[in-house]
Each structure stands twice: as structure tokens, then as C-alpha cells.
Amino acid sequence: MQSAKEFVEQLRPAGGRRSGKRDVIVQIFLRQEGHLAADELVELIRAEDARISRATIYRTLQWMVDAGIAQKVDFGEGRFRYEHSYRHPRHFHLICKTCNQSFEFLSSDIEALIEEIAEARRFSPRQSVLQIYGTCEDCQAGRQPERIAAPTDALFARDALRIAIATERSGLEFYTRAAALTKDARGKKVFQRLAEEEQEHLGTLERRYRQLVKADPELEAHPTFLFFKGAANGIFAAGTEELVKGVDDRQALLIGIRCERGSHKFFKRYGERFEESEGKQIFLEFADEEREHLDLLIREYRSLVERQAAGPKRR
Amino acid sequence: MQSAKEFVEQLRPAGGRRSGKRDVIVQIFLRQEGHLAADELVELIRAEDARISRATIYRTLQWMVDAGIAQKVDFGEGRFRYEHSYRHPRHFHLICKTCNQSFEFLSSDIEALIEEIAEARRFSPRQSVLQIYGTCEDCQAGRQPERIAAPTDALFARDALRIAIATERSGLEFYTRAAALTKDARGKKVFQRLAEEEQEHLGTLERRYRQLVKADPELEAHPTFLFFKGAANGIFAAGTEELVKGVDDRQALLIGIRCERGSHKFFKRYGERFEESEGKQIFLEFADEEREHLDLLIREYRSLVERQAAGPKRR
DNA sequence: ATAGATGCAAACCCTTTGCACATTA
DNA sequence: TAATGTGCAAAGGGTTTGCATCTAT
């Protein structure tokens, strides 16, 4: 796993000089979690150590943004806040206007929609900001809001596993149906084999999930961090729908190919977004698996087409 | 249709006094489209007329926000912008960092997801901000970006009709399938009748759409303003999927009820959000229609249950 | 030696405010 | 006349900058 130091080292821009003060600022900044206003960082640094001027801190923040170490965010407070990018994927925010706390979440569905919309408008998106302003659970109840810890690796792994499991289930259903509906003996066998594989993987994933929860029984009580619906399992669900409306063997294989391709792409892309972590691992492993299925289906489709082309002559 | 003057009149807070200068500011502000920074408004007012002080303009902007006439938005520029709420539903933004233009869009899908996420986190949302930063089509091509006009009523009507048509199509498919699958004679007839109605409405909507496009042939060239996918037609699509996997008559009716309820709710809620306009009209008419179907299905379901309760005795 | 980093204070931008004066109900 | 709106200038918060001074390479 990459350390914070390596992370900074790697991003340090060429031509820049090493400076003790800047290092201090960066290190203190990276130690924090959440969204720091410049002034809060000034306080932290005053407390910690040196006589570092406000200007240097502002300049270092700008430097970190340029280097990709930090991100400047605007919660509409009339000042900017900064969050670091180290082990911290792009995300969205729920912002409580009462206690001023902010809560992060991911949503592959919303990301997919944003991409579609940008595409439709021929807009090339660089960065998206989604902030939901309102009142958090604690403030609604009039309770003293407790500081929520930032989402951990384990939490991310939990949600990654949930997505993978849901997708696997949906894939299993797809292949089971496909096997039942396919007439071609060889095609049927392929679908059966894939269904069996999905079943097996499903078992593996569920075991892994239970293990994770066992290691931290509190884990399941945490609210969802990574939201998903359509983007992952919707791919197979749509395929199943088409299947069930009636298709021939060739179409069934094509639908399977489309599903696996979509699924592979989703898991690969999503996995690549994250820093080293169990969740990333899960996504990438899953992507590989889908890739194998995809290859198998493509081979099978080619074979079927060949046999069909040869077939009529014999008839 | 409500005029801008009535709009302000209606929202003018009690206890406030009429003031010529404030009126001037409000009128000039409402004449603009897009997102004005306070300073830009000051310029506009300087040019137009009076010797009105900066402070008054700031105070009036605050007054408009409190009254619900304007909305303060933050594009992360370090200053606020204001957009008026008159004939201007809640929307999201694509913001070009090159030409600094911003483009609006609606997405019922994203709104639905936001609500789900807030719900899951027990967060009570008041306002959501979604900004996609990047580069617009013109700037990507190195062209001089042309000022895009704000979406018109006709554009909104076009997209409302597209959603209604897509939903209608999906409903038609659902009822056609349901009619084919239903064994109970009376139930079959109900589904057939609904399918016929959907067919007829579909014709009406398509005629209306053609009319709209005929009135303004440019209309179809405009990019999508109201994005939708799941929220509207996905409701029936999911129903069809269930149907096709095999259900009995009673379940079929229940699925129909669920679909119509979802669809009714969606169109009603979405329609209610807008100022008087053809698009609003379309949504509300559609909601009414779905309501009728819903009632019919519920009556039919009750009847079926009764007959089934009576049936076994006769057997 | 020289480009780059730092400190200090002043400048900056956008916005709000105190206070005297003008207006409206 | 009492409450509200306006103008002016000053203050305010957050951020950036000019310039002299250091400090790494």
C-alpha cells in the first residue's frame, strides 16, 4: 500500500524545491480528515509547531491543489475548504446546515447519469460537484450531533462486496434463464457452465462478506457509503428482460456479451478510481472474472455463427 | 398565465413597504436570464437608470432571496450569483470553465436518486446543487462560444411530451403482454381496454408532439433539457419484466397497480414543480390519466379477489 | 548564482453594517 | 410618527500580492 509520503513524492511537481515548512504544512494537512477551511489549517499549524505565516499556508494550499494533492471545495459558506486526495476517491456530499457537518457518499448511478448527460450535451466534464443541503439525522431529532468518522477501507470493501454480490446474483439469474432457453446444445452448455461459475463466485463473495463483518461486527450498522442500483446489476437485469421476451440462441449470446462487457467495464473503471484498498481489489478481481466470461461468450458466439453458416448447406 | 409582476406581488412579504428603487431593481433582475453576480446587476442598473447604491442592490438581492423571488447560487467562484425563480424550476448546471457560460438541465433520474440517498442516510434534504464543470462543445472545438438562450416553454413541453410518450409506450407494452398472459376473462378484458386506451393516448401525444415541432421546426435541434430514463418509463419496464417471468392474474393486476401508482406519483409531483406552462399541463393531464387507470385496476383487483373467494366453494 | 520559498503588510474582492437621512403607510 | 428603505463610507472576512529577505540546488 502506498504511504502518504510516497503519495506526495509522486505528485511533487518538477522544478519545485524542497522546503521544510511546506513539508510540515502538507503533512499536517494530510493527517486531517474531512474538509478544512484555510483558517482551520492555520490554527492547526500554529498549535503544532512553527511560526509559519498565513500567506505561506495559502500558497501551499494552492500548490497542493495544483499538484493534485488537495481539492478545493465550496460549500457555499463564503470561503473555501480543502480536502486531500490521498486515499480519497471523488465523492459527493450531504451537508447539514444546522451542525455544518458534511457526510460523504459515492453513487455510481449518479456518476453514470452525469456522464450520459454531459455526452448528450457534448460537454466534456472534468469534475462534478453534488451537494445535498438539509438537516442530518441527529439535528432533526434535536440530539447533539456526534462527529461521524470518515468512511474507512472496511466500509468501502463492504459496499464493494455488496455491489459485486448483487451483480453476481443478477448474472446468475441471467445465465440460468439463458441456459433454459437456449436450444443449441453447445450454447446451452456454455450458459450452464457460466451459471455454475457465477454460483461459485457468489459463494466466495458471500463468504468474504461474512468474514469482513465478523472482523468488525459494527460494520453492518454503518449507513451505505457507496450507492448503486442500475449501473452494476441493472446491466444483467435488462439482459434478463430481453431474454425472457423471447430471443434465439444467437441473440442470447449477444445479450450475454453486452452484459458482460458492460459489467466488466463498470467494475474496471470503478476499481481503478480508488487508492490501494480491499474494495479496489474486489472490484478489479471482479472485472477480471467478467473479462473471462466475456471472452468465453465471444468465442462461443463465433463458433455458433460458423456452425450456422455451415449448417444450411447440409440441410 | 402568471405575469412577472403578479409573481412578485404574490410573494411580496407582509409588512414590507413599496419602494420605487426596489421595484426598479427587481424588474431589471427579472428581465435577465441566467445567473447574475451582484456586481453584474449593479452594472446593469447603473446603465439603465438610477443612481442606486451598491448597498441597496445587495439588500434587495437578499430581500428577493427571502421572498423566494431569487435564489442564491454558488459556482465556486468565490462570489455568489443569483437566478430568479420566476418560471424557472429547480435545475442543475453544466459550467464551462473556458467561456464561463452555464447551461441548465433537469434530470428526474438524478432527483430520484438524490432522494433515495438522503432517505437511506435519514437526511432531510432541502436543496440540492449539482454542477458539472468542464468544457462546452464550442470551446472544445475552439469556436467562439455562442450565447445559448435559456430553455423556453416550448423546449420544456417538447421534453415533457417525450417523457409522456416513452411512458405511454412502455405502458402499452405492459398491458398488451398482461392481456395476453391473463387467464381470467374479465381481467383479460380490463387489460385489453387499458392497452387500447394507451394506444389512443399515444396517438394523441404523438400528434401533439408533431404539432409542437411544426410550430417551431428548430425545436428538435435543441439539446435535451429534461433528462429522464428510469424514473418515468422504468416503472412499467420493471413491471413488464416481472410479468414476463411468469405470474398469475392476481399478481398481474397488483403489478399494474404498482406501475400506475408510481407513474401517477411521478407525473403529478413533477408537474407540480413548474410554473404555468404547456409542459406542466402535459404532466398533470398525464397524471390524471394514470390515476383513472389506477382506480380501474384497483376495482378490478377487488372484484377478482371476491370472485376467487367465492369460487372455491363452487368447485 | 539563481530560481524558488517565506514573511510581512498592504491590497483586493465581495459583502455587510452603522448611521444619518429620506420615504412610505 | 413610526417603521421601513436608502446612501455613504467604513468595516469585515477571506484571500491574494508586492517586495525585501531567505534558502535550496
Side-chain angles (χ1 to χ4, degrees):
Chain A
M1 179 156 354
Q2 188 189 36
S3 76
K5 216 158 232 158
E6 283 160 5
F7 170 74
V8 173
E9 235 29 74
Q10 188 188 309
L11 290 171
R12 186 178 289 282
R17 282 178 192 173
R18 161 131 273 124
S19 134
K21 297 197 174 167
R22 182 171 291 171
D23 283 354
V24 169
I25 298 173
V26 173
Q27 289 313 318
I28 293 179
F29 175 70
L30 287 181
R31 274 218 292 283
Q32 311 306 315
E33 57 186 40
H35 317 92
L36 282 183
D39 215 52
E40 292 167 351
L41 184 58
V42 172
E43 284 313 306
L44 280 168
I45 288 175
R46 284 271 150 75
E48 183 100 5
D49 173 34
R51 237 170 275 69
I52 295 179
S53 87
R54 195 172 219 77
T56 301
I57 292 170
Y58 271 97
R59 282 193 270 239
T60 303
L61 281 169
Q62 187 53 53
W63 178 85
M64 287 194 285
V65 170
D66 293 341
I69 296 165
Q71 186 139 10
K72 202 171 180 175
V73 291
D74 184 341
F75 291 162
E77 304 167 288
R79 63 175 172 174
F80 293 100
R81 290 182 171 275
Y82 297 82
E83 55 186 30
H84 61 252
S85 329
Y86 173 61
R87 303 178 58 63
H88 199 178
R90 281 174 281 128
H91 55 267
F92 304 124
H93 294 111
L94 292 154
I95 300 162
C96 178
K97 280 289 201 183
T98 306
C99 65
N100 281 317
Q101 246 186 118
S102 68
F103 311 90
E104 300 178 351
F105 68 93
L106 300 175
S107 166
S108 56
D109 306 304
I110 290 180
E111 285 179 31
L113 286 168
I114 286 175
E115 270 173 40
E116 269 177 54
I117 288 164
E119 169 93 31
R121 293 283 198 107
R122 292 179 218 287
F123 187 92
S124 147
R126 192 148 8 100
Q127 199 204 340
S128 303
V129 173
L130 169 57
Q131 282 143 2
I132 307 177
Y133 293 96
T135 320
C136 72
E137 187 176 4
D138 285 342
C139 289
Q140 281 171 69
R143 263 174 281 155
Q144 193 56 250
E146 48 179 307
R147 274 253 146 236
I148 301 288
T152 58
D153 266 15
L155 189 64
F156 172 42
R158 180 201 70 175
D159 289 351
L161 276 170
R162 285 184 183 172
I163 296 192
I165 287 169
T167 308
E168 201 73 86
R169 284 221 176 98
S170 150
L172 174 60
E173 189 188 342
F174 175 81
Y175 288 120
T176 308
R177 274 178 190 281
L181 292 168
T182 302
K183 281 155 220 100
D184 177 68
R186 200 175 140 176
K188 202 182 197 75
K189 212 164 240 167
V190 169
F191 282 133
Q192 276 169 346
R193 184 176 140 198
L194 286 170
E196 276 163 33
E197 276 191 31
E198 299 284 41
Q199 183 74 67
E200 195 193 311
H201 292 156
L202 189 55
T204 313
L205 289 171
E206 283 174 339
R207 222 168 305 124
R208 194 158 169 188
Y209 185 82
R210 279 195 300 274
Q211 230 169 347
L212 196 70
V213 170
K214 206 168 153 193
D216 176 7
E218 293 276 281
L219 200 57
E220 287 206 290
H222 283 79
T224 305
F225 167 58
L226 204 172
F227 289 87
F228 71 103
K229 246 176 96 176
N233 60 345
I235 297 165
F236 279 108
T240 305
E241 195 188 339
E242 281 184 72
L243 211 60
V244 127
K245 282 185 189 168
V247 291
D248 64 26
D249 290 1
R250 215 163 131 172
Q251 287 170 318
L253 282 168
L254 280 176
I255 295 172
I257 289 172
R258 177 150 34 86
C259 290
E260 290 288 356
R261 185 168 284 148
S263 173
H264 166 72
K265 199 174 131 196
F266 170 79
F267 283 100
K268 184 139 183 284
R269 270 209 20 198
Y270 228 75
E272 280 168 357
R273 278 192 28 189
F274 299 99
E275 309 293 328
E276 289 309 328
S277 66
E278 190 175 351
K280 180 191 186 113
Q281 221 35 47
I282 291 164
F283 275 138
L284 291 183
E285 280 168 27
F286 202 81
D288 282 347
E289 207 163 276
E290 303 293 62
R291 162 102 263 160
E292 277 171 37
H293 291 181
L294 182 57
D295 291 342
L296 179 61
L297 284 169
I298 290 174
R299 277 201 305 277
E300 192 51 32
Y301 176 73
R302 291 213 177 110
S303 144
L304 182 67
V305 169
E306 267 173 43
R307 278 176 294 139
Q308 283 183 343
K313 288 172 196 164
R314 263 182 250 142
R315 252 180 228 162
Chain B
M1 177 154 357
Q2 188 188 36
S3 75
K5 216 159 232 156
E6 284 162 3
F7 169 75
V8 174
E9 234 29 72
Q10 189 188 307
L11 290 172
R12 187 179 286 284
R17 280 174 195 178
R18 160 133 273 123
S19 134
K21 297 195 175 169
R22 182 171 293 171
D23 283 354
V24 169
I25 299 172
V26 173
Q27 289 313 318
I28 293 180
F29 175 70
L30 287 182
R31 274 218 291 284
Q32 311 306 315
E33 56 186 39
H35 318 92
L36 282 182
D39 214 53
E40 292 166 351
L41 185 57
V42 171
E43 284 312 306
L44 280 168
I45 287 175
R46 283 272 150 77
E48 183 102 5
D49 173 35
R51 236 170 274 70
I52 296 178
S53 85
R54 194 174 221 77
T56 301
I57 292 170
Y58 271 97
R59 282 193 272 239
T60 303
L61 280 168
Q62 187 52 53
W63 178 86
M64 289 193 285
V65 170
D66 293 340
I69 296 166
Q71 185 140 9
K72 202 170 180 176
V73 293
D74 184 341
F75 290 162
E77 304 167 289
R79 64 176 171 173
F80 293 100
R81 290 182 171 273
Y82 297 83
E83 56 186 28
H84 59 253
S85 331
Y86 172 61
R87 303 177 59 62
H88 199 175
R90 280 174 282 126
H91 55 267
F92 304 125
H93 294 110
L94 292 155
I95 299 163
C96 177
K97 280 288 200 184
T98 306
C99 65
N100 281 316
Q101 245 186 118
S102 69
F103 311 88
E104 299 178 350
F105 67 93
L106 300 174
S107 167
S108 56
D109 305 304
I110 291 180
E111 285 180 30
L113 286 168
I114 286 174
E115 271 173 40
E116 267 177 55
I117 288 164
E119 169 91 31
R121 292 283 198 104
R122 292 179 220 287
F123 188 91
S124 149
R126 194 150 1 102
Q127 199 204 339
S128 303
V129 173
L130 169 57
Q131 284 142 0
I132 308 177
Y133 294 95
T135 320
C136 71
E137 188 177 4
D138 285 341
C139 289
Q140 280 172 69
R143 264 174 281 157
Q144 194 56 251
E146 47 180 309
R147 274 253 146 237
I148 300 287
T152 58
D153 266 16
L155 189 64
F156 173 40
R158 180 201 70 174
D159 289 351
L161 275 170
R162 285 183 182 171
I163 295 191
I165 287 169
T167 309
E168 201 73 83
R169 285 222 176 98
S170 147
L172 174 60
E173 187 186 343
F174 175 81
Y175 287 121
T176 308
R177 273 176 190 283
L181 292 168
T182 303
K183 282 154 220 99
D184 177 67
R186 201 177 138 174
K188 200 182 199 74
K189 211 165 243 167
V190 169
F191 281 133
Q192 276 167 347
R193 186 177 139 197
L194 285 170
E196 279 162 31
E197 276 191 32
E198 300 283 42
Q199 183 73 65
E200 196 193 311
H201 291 156
L202 189 54
T204 314
L205 289 171
E206 283 174 339
R207 221 167 306 124
R208 195 159 170 185
Y209 184 82
R210 279 195 301 273
Q211 233 171 342
L212 195 71
V213 171
K214 207 170 153 192
D216 176 7
E218 294 276 279
L219 200 58
E220 286 205 290
H222 283 78
T224 306
F225 168 59
L226 204 173
F227 289 86
F228 70 102
K229 246 176 93 176
N233 61 347
I235 298 165
F236 277 108
T240 306
E241 193 188 340
E242 281 184 72
L243 210 60
V244 126
K245 282 184 190 167
V247 292
D248 64 27
D249 292 0
R250 216 164 129 170
Q251 286 170 316
L253 282 167
L254 281 176
I255 294 172
I257 289 171
R258 177 149 36 84
C259 290
E260 290 289 356
R261 184 169 283 147
S263 172
H264 166 73
K265 198 174 132 197
F266 170 78
F267 283 99
K268 181 139 185 287
R269 269 207 22 197
Y270 228 74
E272 280 168 356
R273 276 192 27 187
F274 298 99
E275 309 293 329
E276 289 310 327
S277 67
E278 190 175 349
K280 182 194 186 111
Q281 221 37 45
I282 291 164
F283 275 138
L284 291 182
E285 279 167 28
F286 202 81
D288 281 348
E289 209 164 276
E290 303 291 65
R291 161 103 261 159
E292 277 171 39
H293 291 182
L294 181 57
D295 291 342
L296 179 63
L297 285 169
I298 290 173
R299 277 201 305 278
E300 193 51 32
Y301 176 74
R302 291 213 178 109
S303 145
L304 183 68
V305 170
E306 266 173 43
R307 278 177 295 140
Q308 283 185 340
K313 285 171 198 164
R314 263 183 249 141
R315 254 181 223 160

